[in-house]
Amino acid sequence: MTEPMVRIRGLRKSFGTKEVLCGIDMDVQAGSVMCIIGPSGSGKSTLLSCINHLERIDGGRMWVGGELVGYRERAGKLYELPERKVAKMRARIGMVFQQFNLFPHMTALQNIIEAPIRVKRQPPAEARAKAMVLLERVGLADRAAAFPSQLSGGQQQRVAIARALAMEPQLMLFDEPTSALDPELVGEVLAVMRDLAATGMTMMVVTHELSFAREVGDDLVFMADGLIMERGSPRTVLANPREPRTREFLSRVL
Amino acid sequence: MQVIPLRRPWTWAASVLVVLIAAGVAWSVATNPAFGWPVVAEYLFHEQILAGLIRTLELTVTAMLLGLVLGTALAIMRLSDNKLLSTLSWLYIWFFRSVPVLVQLIFWYNFGALYAHITLAIPWGPVLYSASTNSVITPLTAALAGLGLAQAAYTAEVIRAGILSVPSGQTRAAKALGMGPATIFIRIVFPQAMRVIIPPVGNEVISMVKGTSLVSVIAMADLLYTAQLIYARTYETIPLLIVASLWYLAVVSILSIAQHALERHYGRGA
Ligand SMILES: Nc1ncnc2c1ncn2[C@@H]1O[C@H](COP(=O)(O)OP(=O)(O)OP(=O)(O)O)[C@@H](O)[C@H]1O
Ligand SMILES: [Mg+2]
């Protein structure tokens, strides 16, 4: 098998004395979609935040695209990288948040071009042209000049996805991208994500949308209490869960 | 269908009454010879008054700039994870907010009596710079130090509150896009913090316009002190105080317009 896009080994993370991730092992192959489900507080968001080093880890190791995340290894010790190096690595990983987190003082277009111009040093004209292509792709070409407060939740989330894609990432992390949306707006965001998966983007998706996991996901893990309880192909796990915890969770979500 | 907004007849009646009262007061002020309007007209553009006005503006602008720049640095230090920086900032704010500005002004003015020479040197090495204190700390620099250093302590707290008002999700999103700390502060956090920062800082600028008159204790003639110097000589107290007040009204009006424009600029998207 080729080198996976994401390789996680023995990942541990605590907040204070509370251990939130208790040894996670995971591989995400390039071009595949990994779905993560699990009850509230099981550590799903924390896992995603560790992958782009928004959170420091307390044990284990992670590689994205073959590169160790957040640390440099020397003589059997891990040294935390300076902020500048970490930022460089984050620029190659896109992240989409439950609460969108668009920059409210910028228009949709400005939200998208900000990082390409400031981080990648793209010429503004080029960044703008690429942003318009992305807005087209998420179906919002006509809302380029709108501020986030003038957009619906579904539109904001689609702009947020375009903003992440503008950095041309090799990996996209989605943390419950549709959980804050009104039910009738969920579909438009999932459609954009489905198209993205079809282009071969490597994606890790925390979601409660089981039909999305079933149709788009290549792998699925069920997390509880900071551990991966069960993993497999989404169809198998969702249809025939082996673990009682998974069964109990699925019966509550469905 | 025609839509008729709620009628408010009492608001109209009250407005008319207010206008009548205002007109009455204006008439009485304008026709009362004790206000000395000819004297007001004579001194309004008097060169001494204009010099005082310029001094007031000059002190306000420089002290406020010093306060803003240093205050921003202090706010960032205060919020830093670095214990040394945040403690230093806390100590600064504690000290400069506690000691009355009047005392600080007099202290800087008399700095020459405490240290006759200011010397910059490498310990046990060559002297890089040396000068007599009185040539470095003129009344102007003493005034700027006294007003600006104290202002920085107040501004720092306002800016800190502004920065804290920006949701942490904004910083996370910016970090996730690969932005560095400086870019995140300048492009994402600060513009949003400005919405919270501008109204209180606007207040402080306006206080500063009038607060600069404290420098009269170190023999600097700002607008108000100039007016006082003149009426001490001519005994035309009220007309000269009116002259000073008219200028303060003009300056504060312009500042209020500027504040409004800034609020609109940083309020976009809200
Ligand atoms: N910054 C933090 N400080 C302290 N505790 C935290 C922090 N972030 C998360 N936690 C705790 O870590 C645990 C796991 O949180 P996490 O957000 O990863 O769960 P989750 O699986 O994403 O849950 P949800 O479905 O509610 O989003 C929770 O118990 C939470 O209270
Ligand atoms: Mg979560």
Side-chain angles (χ1 to χ4, degrees):
Chain A
M1 209 183 280
T2 55
E3 171 80 11
M5 179 62 78
V6 181
R7 178 199 289 277
I8 302 173
R9 290 293 177 271
L11 171 60
R12 291 177 175 281
K13 167 74 191 169
S14 309
F15 287 113
T17 55
K18 188 175 187 303
E19 187 155 63
V20 173
L21 298 174
C22 324
I24 300 281
D25 296 313
M26 189 187 274
D27 284 338
V28 182
Q29 300 303 327
S32 75
V33 176
M34 164 72 77
C35 291
I36 301 162
I37 60 171
S40 182
S42 54
K44 308 179 298 291
S45 300
T46 308
L47 172 63
L48 291 194
S49 305
C50 289
I51 291 174
N52 63 2
H53 203 62
L54 284 180
E55 296 288 356
R56 274 196 194 91
I57 64 174
D58 297 310
R61 262 164 244 211
M62 286 172 300
W63 295 262
V64 172
E67 230 177 278
L68 197 59
V69 171
Y71 299 86
R72 194 163 47 87
E73 190 169 9
R74 233 178 56 197
K77 288 208 176 82
L78 290 183
Y79 296 88
E80 188 167 16
L81 289 174
E83 193 64 21
R84 188 171 38 81
K85 290 252 172 72
V86 176
K88 220 171 207 152
M89 178 219 69
R90 287 191 189 122
R92 302 196 316 257
I93 304 174
M95 191 167 202
V96 175
F97 303 85
Q98 185 174 348
Q99 300 298 338
F100 327 134
N101 295 348
L102 288 180
F103 307 132
H105 57 303
M106 298 181 179
T107 63
L109 185 76
Q110 288 168 338
N111 264 277
I112 297 174
I113 63 178
E114 184 66 18
I117 292 176
R118 305 279 155 190
V119 179
K120 281 187 142 186
R121 308 262 163 229
Q122 260 176 27
E126 181 189 336
R128 229 171 275 128
K130 288 186 169 168
M132 285 314 296
V133 173
L134 283 167
L135 277 170
E136 189 85 49
R137 201 164 136 196
V138 299
L140 288 171
D142 55 330
R143 304 312 308 274
F147 284 98
S149 57
Q150 299 162 334
L151 298 172
S152 74
Q155 292 173 330
Q156 288 187 56
Q157 193 61 299
R158 286 186 279 154
V159 172
I161 293 173
R163 176 176 73 176
L165 291 176
M167 292 300 285
E168 295 167 339
Q170 45 181 187
L171 168 69
M172 285 284 286
L173 308 174
F174 292 85
D175 189 4
E176 301 198 37
T178 59
S179 295
L181 298 177
D182 292 336
E184 74 271 20
L185 301 177
V186 169
E188 62 190 55
V189 172
L190 291 182
V192 167
M193 291 169 63
R194 194 170 284 143
D195 290 347
L196 185 58
T199 66
M201 175 63 76
T202 313
M203 295 164 55
M204 294 181 71
V205 185
V206 174
T207 186
H208 292 303
E209 297 293 330
L210 299 185
S211 58
F212 176 85
R214 193 178 299 116
E215 287 156 32
V216 183
D218 298 294
D219 301 281
L220 181 132
V221 300
F222 170 74
M223 283 180 67
D225 302 333
L227 283 169
I228 293 180
M229 294 280 169
E230 185 161 359
R231 62 178 95 209
S233 98
R235 279 167 201 287
T236 324
V237 176
L238 294 176
N240 302 303
R242 274 172 292 132
E243 300 291 325
R245 288 292 298 267
T246 321
R247 236 173 283 148
E248 184 211 347
F249 174 75
L250 289 176
S251 71
R252 270 189 290 120
V253 173
L254 285 175
Chain B
M1 210 194 304
Q2 203 184 349
V3 180
I4 297 161
L6 180 64
R7 288 180 214 270
R8 301 177 188 279
W10 287 109
T11 309
W12 281 103
S15 306
V16 170
L17 189 65
V18 168
V19 168
L20 285 177
I21 293 173
V25 170
W27 178 255
S28 120
V29 169
T31 55
N32 182 344
F35 279 99
W37 291 108
V39 182
V40 172
E42 181 192 335
Y43 277 105
L44 193 55
F45 296 100
H46 190 279
E47 103 189 72
Q48 233 181 314
I49 289 286
L50 292 184
L53 172 67
I54 286 172
R55 170 107 312 159
T56 288
L57 293 177
E58 180 182 75
L59 282 175
T60 305
V61 170
T62 7
M64 211 59 216
L65 276 180
L66 182 62
L68 279 172
V69 172
L70 190 56
T72 307
L74 285 166
I76 294 173
M77 283 167 65
R78 185 91 172 75
L79 291 170
S80 148
D81 292 332
N82 186 320
K83 267 270 168 279
L84 175 66
L85 292 181
S86 70
T87 308
L88 279 176
S89 172
W90 185 89
L91 280 172
Y92 180 100
I93 293 167
W94 166 76
F95 185 81
F96 281 90
R97 283 202 306 184
S98 306
V99 179
V101 177
L102 186 68
V103 177
Q104 294 185 37
L105 280 170
I106 295 173
F107 173 83
W108 289 116
Y109 188 60
N110 292 303
F111 200 68
L114 302 169
Y115 292 95
H117 286 275
I118 292 177
T119 305
L120 196 65
I122 296 166
W124 303 288
V127 171
L128 301 176
Y129 174 83
S130 180
S132 95
T133 305
N134 284 334
S135 70
V136 179
I137 302 192
T138 61
L140 181 64
T141 40
L144 285 178
L147 296 172
L149 296 181
Q151 187 56 45
Y154 288 98
T155 314
E157 286 295 273
V158 171
I159 292 176
R160 182 169 74 100
I163 292 173
L164 287 174
S165 76
V166 180
S168 63
Q170 292 290 308
T171 310
R172 284 169 70 82
K175 274 189 185 172
L177 286 164
M179 294 185 200
T183 310
I184 295 178
F185 183 74
I186 295 166
R187 298 288 306 172
I188 308 300
V189 174
F190 197 67
Q192 294 184 62
M194 281 305 264
R195 291 178 191 178
V196 175
I197 291 173
I198 290 172
V201 167
N203 259 344
E204 303 210 328
V205 175
I206 289 169
S207 304
M208 177 71 89
V209 173
K210 290 164 288 179
T212 49
S213 55
L214 269 183
V215 298
S216 64
V217 298
I218 56 174
M220 279 187 72
D222 75 312
L223 177 57
L224 184 60
Y225 191 50
T226 305
Q228 289 171 327
L229 286 177
I230 296 173
Y231 71 62
R233 205 172 58 226
T234 67
Y235 300 105
E236 291 158 325
T237 309
I238 296 294
L240 276 149
L241 287 179
I242 291 176
V243 166
S245 300
L246 286 175
W247 279 116
Y248 282 122
L249 279 168
V251 170
V252 171
S253 305
I254 293 168
L255 287 174
S256 303
I257 293 169
Q259 177 177 349
H260 183 71
L262 273 176
E263 276 176 18
R264 279 189 44 162
H265 174 75
Y266 284 106
R268 68 191 188 281

